[in-house]
Short mmCIF file of all heavy atoms in Angstrom, two decimals:
data_model
loop_
_atom_site.label_atom_id
_atom_site.label_comp_id
_atom_site.label_asym_id
_atom_site.label_seq_id
_atom_site.Cartn_x
_atom_site.Cartn_y
_atom_site.Cartn_z
N LEU A 1 122.44 152.19 -23.04
CA LEU A 1 123.42 153.27 -23.10
C LEU A 1 122.90 154.43 -23.94
O LEU A 1 123.12 155.60 -23.61
CB LEU A 1 124.73 152.76 -23.73
CG LEU A 1 125.69 151.97 -22.85
CD1 LEU A 1 126.91 151.59 -23.67
CD2 LEU A 1 126.12 152.75 -21.63
N PHE A 2 122.21 154.10 -25.02
CA PHE A 2 121.72 155.13 -25.93
C PHE A 2 120.52 155.87 -25.36
O PHE A 2 120.42 157.09 -25.46
CB PHE A 2 121.35 154.48 -27.27
CG PHE A 2 121.07 155.46 -28.38
CD1 PHE A 2 122.11 156.01 -29.12
CD2 PHE A 2 119.77 155.83 -28.69
CE1 PHE A 2 121.86 156.92 -30.14
CE2 PHE A 2 119.51 156.73 -29.71
CZ PHE A 2 120.57 157.27 -30.44
N THR A 3 119.62 155.11 -24.73
CA THR A 3 118.36 155.73 -24.27
C THR A 3 118.43 156.27 -22.85
O THR A 3 117.69 157.18 -22.50
CB THR A 3 117.20 154.73 -24.36
OG1 THR A 3 117.50 153.57 -23.55
CG2 THR A 3 116.97 154.29 -25.80
N ARG A 4 119.34 155.71 -22.00
CA ARG A 4 119.44 156.17 -20.61
C ARG A 4 120.90 156.29 -20.19
O ARG A 4 121.36 155.53 -19.32
CB ARG A 4 118.70 155.22 -19.67
CG ARG A 4 117.19 155.34 -19.73
CD ARG A 4 116.54 154.60 -18.58
NE ARG A 4 117.00 155.06 -17.27
CZ ARG A 4 116.56 156.15 -16.66
NH1 ARG A 4 115.66 156.92 -17.23
NH2 ARG A 4 117.03 156.48 -15.47
N PRO A 5 121.66 157.19 -20.81
CA PRO A 5 123.05 157.37 -20.38
C PRO A 5 123.12 157.80 -18.92
O PRO A 5 122.32 158.63 -18.47
CB PRO A 5 123.57 158.46 -21.32
CG PRO A 5 122.35 159.17 -21.82
CD PRO A 5 121.26 158.14 -21.85
N ALA A 6 124.07 157.23 -18.17
CA ALA A 6 124.13 157.46 -16.72
C ALA A 6 124.64 158.84 -16.36
O ALA A 6 124.35 159.35 -15.28
CB ALA A 6 125.02 156.40 -16.07
N ASN A 7 125.43 159.44 -17.27
CA ASN A 7 125.98 160.75 -16.95
C ASN A 7 126.29 161.54 -18.22
O ASN A 7 126.10 161.03 -19.34
CB ASN A 7 127.23 160.63 -16.05
CG ASN A 7 128.31 159.76 -16.68
OD1 ASN A 7 128.54 159.81 -17.88
ND2 ASN A 7 128.98 158.96 -15.86
N TYR A 8 126.76 162.74 -18.03
CA TYR A 8 127.03 163.67 -19.13
C TYR A 8 128.04 163.08 -20.10
O TYR A 8 127.89 163.21 -21.32
CB TYR A 8 127.55 164.98 -18.52
CG TYR A 8 127.82 166.09 -19.51
CD1 TYR A 8 126.86 167.07 -19.75
CD2 TYR A 8 129.03 166.19 -20.18
CE1 TYR A 8 127.10 168.11 -20.63
CE2 TYR A 8 129.29 167.22 -21.07
CZ TYR A 8 128.32 168.17 -21.29
OH TYR A 8 128.56 169.19 -22.18
N PHE A 9 129.11 162.43 -19.57
CA PHE A 9 130.14 161.89 -20.45
C PHE A 9 129.59 160.80 -21.35
O PHE A 9 129.82 160.82 -22.56
CB PHE A 9 131.31 161.34 -19.62
CG PHE A 9 132.34 160.64 -20.48
CD1 PHE A 9 133.25 161.37 -21.21
CD2 PHE A 9 132.36 159.25 -20.57
CE1 PHE A 9 134.18 160.73 -22.03
CE2 PHE A 9 133.28 158.61 -21.38
CZ PHE A 9 134.20 159.35 -22.11
N VAL A 10 128.88 159.85 -20.79
CA VAL A 10 128.34 158.75 -21.60
C VAL A 10 127.37 159.29 -22.64
O VAL A 10 127.37 158.86 -23.80
CB VAL A 10 127.64 157.70 -20.70
CG1 VAL A 10 126.98 156.62 -21.54
CG2 VAL A 10 128.63 157.08 -19.73
N ALA A 11 126.56 160.26 -22.25
CA ALA A 11 125.59 160.85 -23.19
C ALA A 11 126.30 161.47 -24.40
O ALA A 11 125.85 161.30 -25.54
CB ALA A 11 124.76 161.92 -22.48
N GLY A 12 127.40 162.16 -24.15
CA GLY A 12 128.11 162.80 -25.24
C GLY A 12 128.98 161.85 -26.04
O GLY A 12 129.29 162.10 -27.21
N PHE A 13 129.37 160.72 -25.41
CA PHE A 13 130.28 159.79 -26.09
C PHE A 13 129.54 158.81 -26.98
O PHE A 13 130.01 158.45 -28.07
CB PHE A 13 131.10 159.02 -25.04
CG PHE A 13 132.18 158.17 -25.65
CD1 PHE A 13 133.38 158.71 -26.05
CD2 PHE A 13 131.96 156.81 -25.84
CE1 PHE A 13 134.36 157.93 -26.63
CE2 PHE A 13 132.95 156.02 -26.41
CZ PHE A 13 134.15 156.57 -26.81
N ILE A 14 128.37 158.36 -26.54
CA ILE A 14 127.62 157.35 -27.28
C ILE A 14 126.67 158.02 -28.26
O ILE A 14 125.86 158.86 -27.88
CB ILE A 14 126.84 156.43 -26.32
CG1 ILE A 14 127.80 155.65 -25.43
CG2 ILE A 14 125.94 155.48 -27.10
CD1 ILE A 14 128.71 154.68 -26.15
N GLY A 15 126.75 157.62 -29.51
CA GLY A 15 125.89 158.18 -30.55
C GLY A 15 126.71 158.92 -31.59
O GLY A 15 127.71 159.56 -31.27
N SER A 16 126.31 158.80 -32.86
CA SER A 16 127.03 159.47 -33.94
C SER A 16 126.02 160.00 -34.96
O SER A 16 125.25 159.21 -35.54
CB SER A 16 128.00 158.49 -34.62
OG SER A 16 128.73 159.12 -35.64
N PRO A 17 125.99 161.33 -35.17
CA PRO A 17 126.73 162.37 -34.45
C PRO A 17 126.38 162.39 -32.97
O PRO A 17 125.37 161.83 -32.57
CB PRO A 17 126.27 163.67 -35.14
CG PRO A 17 125.68 163.26 -36.44
CD PRO A 17 125.10 161.90 -36.21
N ALA A 18 127.24 163.04 -32.21
CA ALA A 18 127.06 163.06 -30.76
C ALA A 18 125.79 163.79 -30.36
O ALA A 18 125.25 164.63 -31.10
CB ALA A 18 128.26 163.74 -30.10
N MET A 19 125.31 163.46 -29.16
CA MET A 19 124.14 164.14 -28.61
C MET A 19 124.43 165.65 -28.48
O MET A 19 125.53 166.05 -28.10
CB MET A 19 123.82 163.55 -27.23
CG MET A 19 122.60 164.16 -26.56
SD MET A 19 122.33 163.55 -24.87
CE MET A 19 121.78 161.88 -25.18
N ASN A 20 123.44 166.46 -28.82
CA ASN A 20 123.55 167.90 -28.58
C ASN A 20 123.44 168.15 -27.08
O ASN A 20 122.52 167.65 -26.43
CB ASN A 20 122.42 168.64 -29.30
CG ASN A 20 122.46 168.49 -30.80
OD1 ASN A 20 123.44 168.88 -31.43
ND2 ASN A 20 121.42 167.92 -31.38
N MET A 21 124.38 168.90 -26.53
CA MET A 21 124.36 169.22 -25.10
C MET A 21 124.20 170.73 -24.95
O MET A 21 125.06 171.51 -25.37
CB MET A 21 125.65 168.75 -24.42
CG MET A 21 125.93 167.25 -24.59
SD MET A 21 124.64 166.16 -23.98
CE MET A 21 124.80 166.38 -22.22
N LEU A 22 123.11 171.14 -24.35
CA LEU A 22 122.78 172.56 -24.19
C LEU A 22 123.03 172.98 -22.75
O LEU A 22 122.43 172.42 -21.82
CB LEU A 22 121.32 172.81 -24.56
CG LEU A 22 120.84 172.23 -25.90
CD1 LEU A 22 119.35 172.53 -26.10
CD2 LEU A 22 121.66 172.78 -27.06
N ALA A 23 123.94 173.94 -22.57
CA ALA A 23 124.24 174.45 -21.23
C ALA A 23 123.19 175.49 -20.84
O ALA A 23 123.21 176.63 -21.32
CB ALA A 23 125.64 175.06 -21.21
N CYS A 24 122.26 175.09 -19.99
CA CYS A 24 121.11 175.92 -19.66
C CYS A 24 121.25 176.55 -18.26
O CYS A 24 121.84 175.95 -17.36
CB CYS A 24 119.83 175.10 -19.69
SG CYS A 24 119.53 174.26 -21.25
N THR A 25 120.66 177.70 -18.11
CA THR A 25 120.53 178.30 -16.78
C THR A 25 119.14 177.97 -16.24
O THR A 25 118.17 177.84 -17.00
CB THR A 25 120.72 179.83 -16.85
OG1 THR A 25 119.79 180.37 -17.79
CG2 THR A 25 122.13 180.18 -17.28
N VAL A 26 119.07 177.83 -14.92
CA VAL A 26 117.80 177.47 -14.28
C VAL A 26 117.06 178.74 -13.88
O VAL A 26 117.58 179.58 -13.13
CB VAL A 26 118.04 176.58 -13.05
CG1 VAL A 26 116.71 176.29 -12.35
CG2 VAL A 26 118.72 175.28 -13.46
N GLY A 27 115.85 178.90 -14.44
CA GLY A 27 115.03 180.06 -14.12
C GLY A 27 113.70 179.62 -13.53
O GLY A 27 113.44 178.43 -13.34
N PRO A 28 112.81 180.57 -13.26
CA PRO A 28 111.50 180.24 -12.67
C PRO A 28 110.67 179.30 -13.53
O PRO A 28 109.92 178.47 -13.02
CB PRO A 28 110.83 181.60 -12.52
CG PRO A 28 111.95 182.60 -12.56
CD PRO A 28 113.00 182.01 -13.43
N GLU A 29 110.80 179.43 -14.86
CA GLU A 29 109.99 178.61 -15.76
C GLU A 29 110.63 177.27 -16.09
O GLU A 29 109.97 176.38 -16.63
CB GLU A 29 109.72 179.38 -17.07
CG GLU A 29 109.04 180.72 -16.89
CD GLU A 29 107.68 180.57 -16.23
OE1 GLU A 29 106.95 179.61 -16.60
OE2 GLU A 29 107.34 181.39 -15.36
N GLY A 30 111.93 177.14 -15.80
CA GLY A 30 112.62 175.90 -16.13
C GLY A 30 114.03 176.17 -16.62
O GLY A 30 114.64 177.21 -16.30
N ALA A 31 114.58 175.23 -17.37
CA ALA A 31 115.92 175.38 -17.95
C ALA A 31 115.82 176.20 -19.22
O ALA A 31 115.03 175.88 -20.12
CB ALA A 31 116.53 174.00 -18.24
N GLU A 32 116.61 177.27 -19.30
CA GLU A 32 116.48 178.20 -20.41
C GLU A 32 117.74 178.18 -21.28
O GLU A 32 118.86 178.23 -20.78
CB GLU A 32 116.25 179.62 -19.87
CG GLU A 32 114.97 179.73 -19.05
CD GLU A 32 114.84 181.08 -18.35
OE1 GLU A 32 115.80 181.87 -18.42
OE2 GLU A 32 113.79 181.32 -17.72
N TYR A 33 117.51 178.08 -22.60
CA TYR A 33 118.60 178.11 -23.57
C TYR A 33 118.10 178.84 -24.80
O TYR A 33 117.17 178.37 -25.47
CB TYR A 33 119.06 176.71 -23.93
CG TYR A 33 120.27 176.67 -24.83
CD1 TYR A 33 121.56 176.68 -24.28
CD2 TYR A 33 120.15 176.65 -26.20
CE1 TYR A 33 122.68 176.66 -25.08
CE2 TYR A 33 121.26 176.64 -27.03
CZ TYR A 33 122.52 176.64 -26.46
OH TYR A 33 123.64 176.61 -27.28
N ALA A 34 118.73 179.98 -25.11
CA ALA A 34 118.28 180.81 -26.22
C ALA A 34 116.78 181.05 -26.06
O ALA A 34 116.34 181.48 -24.99
CB ALA A 34 118.63 180.15 -27.56
#
């Protein structure tokens, strides 16, 4: 559960503090955040 969460919800629910979730846009070079 910790190393391979099946989806976004499990990833954010399991772990304390919670996993950082970065909302990225997809560009030519990859996923971009800041």
Side-chain angles (χ1 to χ4, degrees):
L1 280 180
F2 191 83
T3 59
R4 285 192 57 80
N7 57 39
Y8 183 96
F9 174 78
V10 176
F13 187 80
I14 297 296
S16 182
M19 181 185 288
N20 298 300
M21 303 302 289
L22 311 178
C24 304
T25 55
V26 176
E29 303 299 319
E32 299 172 355
Y33 185 88

